[in-house]
Amino acid sequence: MDYLIDELVEDNLIKIGDVSKLYDISIDTLRYYDKIDLLKPALVTDTGYRYYSPRQLDTIDFIQTGKSIGIPLKQLADIVSKKQFINYRNLFENQYDEITKKIEELELLKNTTSRLIDKIKEIETYLLQPREFKNRLFEQEIDIELYTFSTKTFLNVENPFKIYSHPFHVNQWSLLEVQENTLQMSAEGISLNNLEKLDNQVHLKHLKGTYQSAQKLGTYHEIFDFCIEQREKLNFEHVYIRFEFYFASKQIEDYQYFVTIFFE
């Protein structure tokens, strides 16, 4: 029997070890393909040796191609079992749509990373400026809708994860106003970038026009003290702080924030 098998292997079949070497696929992987009915050997001997026909190499090429474009093995096994041309077209069209979606997601991540790099560069430029420049106010025109933060409301938004999963989708704000001749926190809000506006029930304030503004890097208390100092100098009634970036620390009080402050 072994003599006959050796002749058969020599003339027609390929040992599993040789297939493994040809395609750089582990023997365990080929056995797994057999288990899920994706690629069954042409011959399994009584002693458990597996052999493949040369024509089965085409199936391995198909599997490798499918894997390379991200098609799950289960879907490949389903296609192989159905043997219908239209199923192949549907398989590849569906995978094309999946790849297109992933490209869009990667492009979003790329753009977000680019903006993070630009923001760090902006902060580095700020740090190189002399102290008198850092404390200088400059005019800035803005048109921004602010919203109060409500967990319940945001959970009702379609795909709320989209709002918070990427930086620059959301800017946090602190709103300060003079109460009893003292600058105090009046509200906290957020602004949304490149997203549909939310329901009016969470609308907080519309900032539109030309404002005196300044950029600042420091702890929350240092930023608040700077606002009080400007209030005493220039007699502003309202202050709006937009948080651009933060440097985390083990202690919350040590967080460093890079902000843009608008005075009204």
Side-chain angles (χ1 to χ4, degrees):
M1 178 67 177
D2 290 338
Y3 176 76
L4 292 176
I5 289 177
D6 286 342
E7 283 191 342
L8 187 62
V9 169
E10 184 177 343
D11 292 340
N12 299 297
L13 300 183
I14 307 170
K15 297 177 182 179
I16 187 173
D18 292 335
V19 174
S20 173
K21 291 177 182 178
L22 281 172
Y23 286 91
D24 193 24
I25 302 173
S26 71
I27 291 176
D28 286 341
T29 297
L30 290 169
R31 287 173 176 161
Y32 180 69
Y33 290 170
D34 180 11
K35 181 180 178 181
I36 64 173
D37 294 329
L38 176 57
L39 176 66
K40 303 193 78 66
L43 173 67
V44 180
T45 68
D46 295 339
T47 53
Y49 288 104
R50 287 169 165 81
Y51 299 93
Y52 298 85
S53 71
R55 293 179 63 182
Q56 286 184 295
L57 299 183
D58 293 334
T59 302
I60 297 178
D61 288 334
F62 170 71
I63 294 170
Q64 294 293 82
T65 299
K67 286 178 60 179
S68 71
I69 61 175
I71 299 176
L73 291 178
K74 186 179 184 304
Q75 292 184 26
L76 294 175
D78 289 342
I79 288 296
V80 170
S81 66
K82 291 176 180 176
K83 303 177 182 178
Q84 294 181 6
F85 177 78
I86 188 63
N87 290 327
Y88 282 81
R89 175 177 175 177
N90 292 338
L91 176 72
F92 292 127
E93 286 183 343
N94 290 339
Q95 192 61 19
Y96 179 87
D97 292 340
E98 285 294 319
I99 292 172
T100 301
K101 181 180 178 181
K102 288 180 181 179
I103 290 173
E104 292 173 352
E105 292 173 349
L106 287 172
E107 192 65 31
L108 175 60
L109 291 176
K110 178 183 175 182
N111 292 337
T112 298
T113 303
S114 177
R115 294 179 68 179
L116 286 167
I117 293 171
D118 290 342
K119 184 58 65 176
I120 293 296
K121 289 180 179 178
E122 181 183 350
I123 295 171
E124 290 173 342
T125 300
Y126 167 86
L127 291 173
L128 292 174
Q129 302 301 324
R131 178 180 175 82
E132 57 271 20
F133 180 86
K134 294 177 184 177
N135 291 331
R136 181 177 65 88
L137 300 186
F138 55 94
E139 289 188 348
Q140 185 172 348
E141 188 171 341
I142 58 174
D143 185 359
I144 299 172
E145 295 283 356
L146 299 185
Y147 300 87
T148 57
F149 176 80
S150 168
T151 303
K152 182 177 180 180
T153 300
F154 276 85
L155 288 176
N156 290 330
V157 175
E158 183 179 355
N159 194 9
F161 177 74
K162 178 183 177 183
I163 298 178
Y164 293 101
S165 60
H166 297 285
F168 302 109
H169 274 188
V170 177
N171 279 124
Q172 293 182 329
W173 290 71
S174 287
L175 282 64
L176 313 178
E177 65 180 10
V178 176
Q179 298 178 6
E180 298 180 356
N181 205 34
T182 303
L183 191 63
Q184 300 180 23
M185 174 79 72
S186 63
E188 290 188 334
I190 62 171
S191 59
L192 308 178
N193 301 320
N194 302 320
L195 295 173
E196 294 182 3
K197 295 184 182 300
L198 297 176
D199 194 285
N200 286 334
Q201 63 180 313
V202 295
H203 182 262
L204 177 62
K205 190 174 182 66
H206 185 192
L207 301 181
K208 185 176 182 178
T210 302
Y211 293 77
Q212 294 292 315
S213 64
Q215 290 184 315
K216 200 70 179 173
L217 176 66
T219 65
Y220 190 86
H221 290 297
E222 290 170 342
I223 293 167
F224 191 81
D225 289 343
F226 174 77
C227 293
I228 292 176
E229 179 184 332
Q230 297 304 312
R231 150 69 184 161
E232 293 173 350
K233 287 181 181 179
L234 303 170
N235 201 33
F236 292 113
E237 293 296 320
H238 298 89
V239 179
Y240 312 106
I241 304 173
R242 181 174 66 198
F243 293 83
E244 310 274 1
F245 196 85
Y246 77 94
F247 298 92
S249 174
K250 290 183 178 180
Q251 303 296 326
I252 295 179
E253 59 268 20
D254 294 331
Y255 277 26
Q256 293 277 318
Y257 298 93
F258 184 66
V259 302
T260 300
I261 308 168
F262 302 93
F263 299 94
E264 181 182 41

